[in-house]
Amino acid sequence: MPETEIRLGVVGTGYVGLTTGACFAHMGHRVVCGDIDQRKVDLLNDGHIPIVEDGLEQIVNDARGVGRLEFVLGSRAAATDADIVFLCVPTPQGDDGSADLSYIQQAAREIAPILKPGAVVVNKSTVPVGSTVAVERELQRDDVFVVSNPEFLREGTAVRDFLQPDRVVIGSADRGAAEKVAELYDSIDTPIIITDPASAETIKYAANGFLAMKISFVNAVAAMCEAVGADVAAVVDGIGSDTRIGGQFLKPGPGWGGSCFPKDSRALVKIAEEHGYNFSMMKGVIDVNTEQRGRMIDKVAKAVGRHHSNLSGVTVGAMGLTFKAGTDDLRESPAMAIIADLRRAGARVRAFDPTTCGELSPHQESTLDGIELTKELIDVADGADVICVFTEWPEFAKVDLDQVAARAGAGTTVVDMRNLFDPFAVKSAGLGYDGVGRN
């Protein structure tokens, strides 16, 4: 528990806002989270969590139970009497790759009149360099401070990432305001990096860009392994054991996706461009990711002896839809992008994902329109000409391959885009196998 209670307001209860508010309340702070969606506010106050995130429901309801966390309608209600207000609103990508700051600017304008003197407004959303100054312009308050405190949360492990972070980054032109935000993390044993706002904002983009680069790199290496007859698993073991490189994010797959990497990588290129620098390396990272999805489509076409542009009459069994395991997020999912191309080529897609078995949200319904969803994993094999592993859900690895072969038919190929299965076990069941970077 903190020695002195600091009242926090959180504007926005999306992925970042909900995790931020719940975790700070779990750490002992008094938190009020505001959202513009009354239905969502009511659901949260009833203890219902609208996203799949390990451990989040428990800490939300534990904090609510002891009166440290509540949900209200609107940003002004969240910011009233708050010592520190976190802006956790969407920053969607524009057509040119730049981040749309309209939501964060609107939130700043709404809370400006009711902020108490000395309050600190924190940019928690991923925002481009210069956004701290942009929020200051919207607030028009000389007695209020603006600080950048970027999040580094991974979907599926967000609670652990918040409570056990590798570091906390705080950017501010005012040292006192930065230290006030730093005090919120006193109960966490982690390095606190205090810097200027532009550096803090750049750290966030650079970190995501670097991780995307590692994934694109290993996917390019996997393509090379297939060409020269090498085993990508052995190659990754060899390079990942070098402490200068490390093994994290060196797992080949269908490409990176989700709500952060695609948006932030393109924004990094755009920010550099606006300041006169051609970030050609980052452009290459994005190009490799696009190419990787094309390679996966080619694998599917090869498995059924067709050209990738003509898959009419082909039935594809899809294992997984989300961009990674442990989340229900379909945004920028490689699975969804590849499936869209397969369907445009005429393929029929039957899919299973653990997060789409129940009632679908309106967004999910529109996103998944045209895809036949099954209630059980094994059902995707029925009559499938090819079976694709899109998402690395661990339960998929436990499926009975003999049953898969019996339901799909002899000779059906498993295109294992996550290298989840043992190739020998798949082949022993009478199925064909094609992984990523494996021969």
Side-chain angles (χ1 to χ4, degrees), residues 218-439:
V218 77
N219 281 335
V221 168
M224 178 178 164
C225 286
E226 292 179 8
V228 303
D231 181 354
V232 73
V235 173
V236 167
D237 282 345
I239 63 176
S241 60
D242 188 324
T243 55
R244 296 170 299 174
I245 299 173
Q248 287 190 313
F249 287 83
L250 285 180
K251 189 172 182 180
W256 37 264
S259 62
C260 293
F261 284 5
K263 176 172 67 73
D264 293 354
S265 296
R266 291 189 285 262
L268 192 56
V269 170
K270 183 63 176 179
I271 292 167
E273 181 182 286
E274 289 174 345
H275 291 80
Y277 176 64
N278 178 19
F279 206 154
S280 57
M281 176 182 284
M282 202 68 232
K283 291 178 181 177
V285 168
I286 296 168
D287 289 343
V288 168
N289 195 55
T290 302
E291 292 165 3
Q292 185 69 0
R293 295 179 182 181
R295 281 193 284 269
M296 299 302 104
I297 294 169
D298 287 341
K299 285 178 177 291
V300 175
K302 179 183 175 183
V304 294
R306 297 281 196 89
H307 188 271
H308 65 256
S309 64
N310 179 20
L311 298 176
S312 179
V314 173
T315 298
V316 178
M319 293 186 175
L321 294 168
T322 56
F323 85 95
K324 61 180 283 190
T327 178
D328 59 347
D329 200 343
L330 297 171
R331 288 175 293 179
E332 296 272 1
S333 168
M336 299 306 300
I338 293 169
I339 286 172
D341 282 341
L342 295 175
R343 294 187 63 240
R344 276 191 287 269
R348 172 193 180 193
V349 179
R350 183 185 297 116
F352 172 84
D353 191 280
T355 68
T356 60
C357 295
E359 182 179 355
L360 300 179
S361 68
H363 172 70
Q364 286 177 317
E365 286 183 351
S366 60
T367 303
L368 299 172
D369 184 43
I371 299 174
E372 181 184 335
L373 299 178
T374 69
K375 296 296 184 182
E376 302 290 341
L377 175 62
I378 191 65
D379 293 339
V380 304
D382 284 340
D385 299 296
V386 58
I387 296 171
C388 298
V389 181
F390 285 112
T391 312
E392 71 282 20
W393 289 99
E395 55 263 46
F396 289 1
K398 301 174 184 176
V399 69
D400 187 322
L401 293 170
D402 290 328
Q403 284 191 34
V404 171
R407 302 276 285 267
T412 297
T413 295
V414 174
V415 177
D416 189 357
M417 300 182 193
R418 297 289 184 170
N419 290 349
L420 194 65
F421 292 118
D422 176 359
F424 179 77
V426 175
K427 293 173 182 177
S428 295
L431 297 162
Y433 181 86
D434 188 5
V436 183
R438 288 170 156 178
N439 287 276

